[in-house]
C-alpha cells in the first residue's frame, strides 16, 4: 500500500488532502520571509491513535512530517518542506477535563487558546499565557513555541503553565511526561524539553495545564515620556521597587503616530516620545496602591503626563493602541517584525539602537514591546515593491538581531526560531550547546522525520552528513 492510501486508512479519506489547491493553504504560516516547500499531503487526524498511525506510515515511507496548529506562527516553523506530510491538529480540539479543585485542565493540541481561557473563567479560573493571536492560535502551537504574551512579566510563559504532556515519538510510540500534582521531580524534565521544541522532537497530542484563580479586573495607568531613555528609566524604577504589574507595554513615537492615524485618535505622541501602558490586576486597595506607586515612579522618571483609571472599559480602550500597533504599521507599508528580548535595563539601548539602524538603512524602524519582560518587537518598514528596499530591510532585520545579542539578549523572546533564524540560533548558543541540541535530536528522531530545517540543520556546516 502506498503512503497516501495508508494515511487514508489511518484517518479516513476526507481527512487527507492531496490536491495542490487544497494543500497550498497549509504550506506557510504568517511569516513571509521564511522558506516554504510544497507538501505531498495534508492530514487532519482526529485523535492520538490516528496521529500515531500517520507517524508510523510516514516513518516507514521515509517521508518528513511537519506538525501544524493554526499556522499563526511568525517564523515559518510550520512551513512545509518539499514532499512532506503536514499534520494538522485542528480537529483535535477538545478540552478533555477541567478539574477546578486541582486547578488544572487536560486538553487536546487543537484547542484554541481563547477557548480554554473562557472555559476556565466559567470556573473562576485563569489560563495566563495570552499571545496576541489567542483568538485563533492553538494550545499545541503555543506549547511547541513556548508562546508568551502581554501578561508574561507577572504570570510567566507557556512553559510555566504546563504540568505534563503526551507526545507521539518518531517511531509512533506514545510518551507521557510530567505529572498532575503541584510538586513532582521524578526523572529528567522531559516536559520542558518538548515545550519550545517547535515540532522537531515529537507531536504533542495532549497537555495537562495549570490554572490559577481568576485575577481582578485590571486598573490601568498610561505615562508619556519625551524620550525612550526616560521611559526605560521608568521601567527600571518599577522593577527595582519590586512592583509586578500584570502588564507593562512600551511604544515608541513612530508606533504611536501610526496608531493615532489608524485609530484617528490623539494619543499625545510628540517627537521622540514614548508611552508606557501598565496594568495592575491586584484588585481593591492593592491595585489602587500599585497604580499610585507606579504613578509616583513615572513622575520621578520625568513623565510628561500620566493618566490612571480603574474603569476596565477605559483601560481596554487605552490598551487598544498597543493591540492595533501591527495592523497600524502594516497600513503604512510592508513590515518585517522582530522578536528579540533584552535585559529590562537595556530596553532604552535597544530602542535607540533600532532608530540608528533604521536611519543608516534609510528606513523606519518602529518599536513596541513587552517592557515587563524585555521582549521587544522592532518592526522594519519598507516598500514591498522595491527589491533594493527589501534587501536593506533584511540587513536591518539582521542588524537588530546582532544588536540584541550584543546587549546580552536573545534572538527570540517568544516566537521561536522556526525556519527563519536558524543560523542565529547557532550564533546565540555556541558550538557546545548546538552539539547537545543535535545529540538530543539524533536520540529522539534519528531519521530526521520531524520538521526538518526548523531550529537548526542536523549537522554543523562542514559536518559529515547533510
Ligand atoms: C497577529 C499575531 C500576533 C501574535 N502574537 C504573539 C504573541 O503575543 N506571543 C507569541 O508568543 N506569539 C505570537 N504570535 C505567534 C503565534 O501566534 C504563536 O507562535 C503561536 O503559539 C502559534 O500557534 P499555532 O497554533 O498557530 O501554531 P503553528 O504556527 O501552526 O505552529 C507553530 C510551531 O509549532 C509546531 N507545532 C504546532 N502544533 C504542534 C503539536 N501539536 N506538536 C508539535 N509541534 C507542533 C509547528 O511545527 C511549528 O513549529 C502572533 C502571531 C500573529 C499572527
Amino acid at each position: 500500500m502506498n503512503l497516501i492510501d495508508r494515511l487514508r486508512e489511518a484517518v479516513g479519506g476526507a481527512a487527507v488532502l492531496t490536491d495542490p489547491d487544497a494543500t497550498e493553504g497549509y504550506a506557510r504560516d504568517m511569516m513571509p520571509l521564511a522558506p516554504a516547500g510544497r507538501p505531498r499531503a495534508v492530514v487532519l487526524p482526529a485523535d492520538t491513535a490516528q496521529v500515531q498511525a500517520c507517524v508510523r506510515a510516514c516513518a516507514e515511507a521515509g517521508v518528513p512530517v511537519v506538525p501544524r496548529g493554526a499556522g499563526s506562527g511568525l517564523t515559518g516553523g510550520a512551513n512545509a518542506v518539499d514532499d512532506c506530510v503536514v499534520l494538522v491538529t485542528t480537529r483535535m480540539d477538545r478540552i478533555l477535563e477541567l478539574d477546578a479543585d486541582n486547578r488544572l485542565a487536560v486538553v487536546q493540541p487543537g484547542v484554541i487558546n481563547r477557548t480554554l481561557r473562557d472555559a476556565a473563567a466559567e470556573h473562576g479560573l485563569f489560563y495566563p499565557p495570552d499571545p496576541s493571536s489567542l483568538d485563533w492560535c492553538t494550545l499545541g502551537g503555543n506549547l511547541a513555541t513556548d508562546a508568551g504574551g502581554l501578561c508574561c512579566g507577572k504570570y510567566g510563559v507557556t512553559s510555566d503553565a504546563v504540568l505534563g504532556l503526551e507526545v507521539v515519538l518518531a517511531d509512533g510510540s506514545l510518551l507521557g511526561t510530567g505529572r498532575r500534582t503541584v510538586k513532582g521531580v521524578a526523572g529528567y524534565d522531559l516536559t520542558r524539553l518538548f515545550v519550545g521544541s517547535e515540532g522537531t522532537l515529537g507531536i504533542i497530542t495532549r497537555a495537562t495545564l495549570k490554572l490559577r484563580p481568576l485575577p481582578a479586573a485590571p486598573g490601568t495607568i498610561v505615562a508619556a515620556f519625551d524620550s525612550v531613555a526616560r521611559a526605560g528609566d521608568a521601567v527600571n524604577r518599577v522593577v527595582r521597587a519590586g512592583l509586578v504589574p500584570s502588564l507593562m507595554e512600551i511604544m515608541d513615537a513612530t508606533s504611536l503616530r501610526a496608531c493615532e492615524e489608524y485609530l484617528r485618535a490623539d494619543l499625545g505622541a510628540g517627537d521622540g516620545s514614548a508611552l508606557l501602558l501598565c496594568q495592575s490586576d491586584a484588585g481593591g486597595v492593592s491595585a489602587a496602591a500599585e497604580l499610585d506607586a507606579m504613578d509616583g515612579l513615572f513622575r520621578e522618571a520625568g513623565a510628561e503626563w500620566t493618566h490612571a483609571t480603574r474603569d476596565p472599559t477605559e483601560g481596554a480602550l487605552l490598551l487598544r493602541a498597543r493591540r492595533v500597533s501591527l495592523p497600524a504599521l502594516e497600513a503604512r507599508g510592508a513590515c518585517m517584525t522582530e522578536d528579540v528580548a533584552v535585559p529590562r535595563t537595556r530596553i532604552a539601548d535597544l530602542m535607540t539602537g533600532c532608530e540608528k539602524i533604521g536611519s543608516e538603512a534609510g528606513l523606519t524602524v518602529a518599536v513596541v514591546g513587552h517592557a515587563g519582560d524585555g521582549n521587544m518587537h522592532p518592526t522594519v518598514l519598507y516598500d514591498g515593491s522595491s527589491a533594493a528596499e527589501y534587501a536593506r530591510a533584511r540587513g536591518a532585520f539582521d542588524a537588530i538581531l546582532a544588536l540584541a545579542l550584543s546587549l546580552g539578549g536573545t534572538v527570540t523572546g517568544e516566537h521561536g526560531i522556526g525556519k527563519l533564524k536558524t543560523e542565529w540560533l547557532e550564533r546565540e548558543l555556541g558550538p557546545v550547546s548546538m552539539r547537545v541540541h543535535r545529540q538530543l535530536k539524533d536520540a529522539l528522531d534519528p531519521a530526521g522525520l520531524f520538521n526538518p530545517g526548523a531550529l537548526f540543520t542536523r549537522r554543523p556546516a562542514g559536518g559529515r552528513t547533510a
Side-chain angles (χ1 to χ4, degrees), residues 89-140:
T89 62
T90 49
R91 285 176 70 212
M92 298 173 69
D93 62 353
R94 284 170 45 226
I95 296 174
L96 301 169
E97 186 185 345
L98 207 151
D99 180 346
D101 291 340
N102 284 305
R103 288 195 201 145
L104 61 83
V106 181
V107 299
Q108 290 187 312
V111 173
I112 303 293
N113 180 301
R114 163 80 73 190
T115 307
L116 177 61
R117 297 169 75 77
D118 290 348
E122 282 174 25
H123 295 265
L125 294 171
F126 175 49
Y127 178 66
D130 62 342
S132 302
S133 51
L134 61 86
D135 286 321
W136 60 295
C137 64
T138 67
L139 293 169

Side-chain angles (χ1 to χ4, degrees), residues 30 67-74 77-78 89 109 131-133 136-138 140-142 144-145 147-149 198-199 202-204 414-415 451:
M30 298 299 288
R68 182 183 176 95
S72 72
L74 289 170
T89 62
S132 302
S133 51
W136 60 295
C137 64
T138 67
N142 295 170
T145 56
E198 302 193 32
I203 299 180
I204 298 164
E414 58 185 14
H415 296 165
N451 212 0

Side-chain angles (χ1 to χ4, degrees), residues 10 43 77-78 145 170 226 228 235 237 352 359:
V43 288
T145 56
D226 65 3
V228 291
V235 172
R237 285 171 192 261
T352 48
S359 72

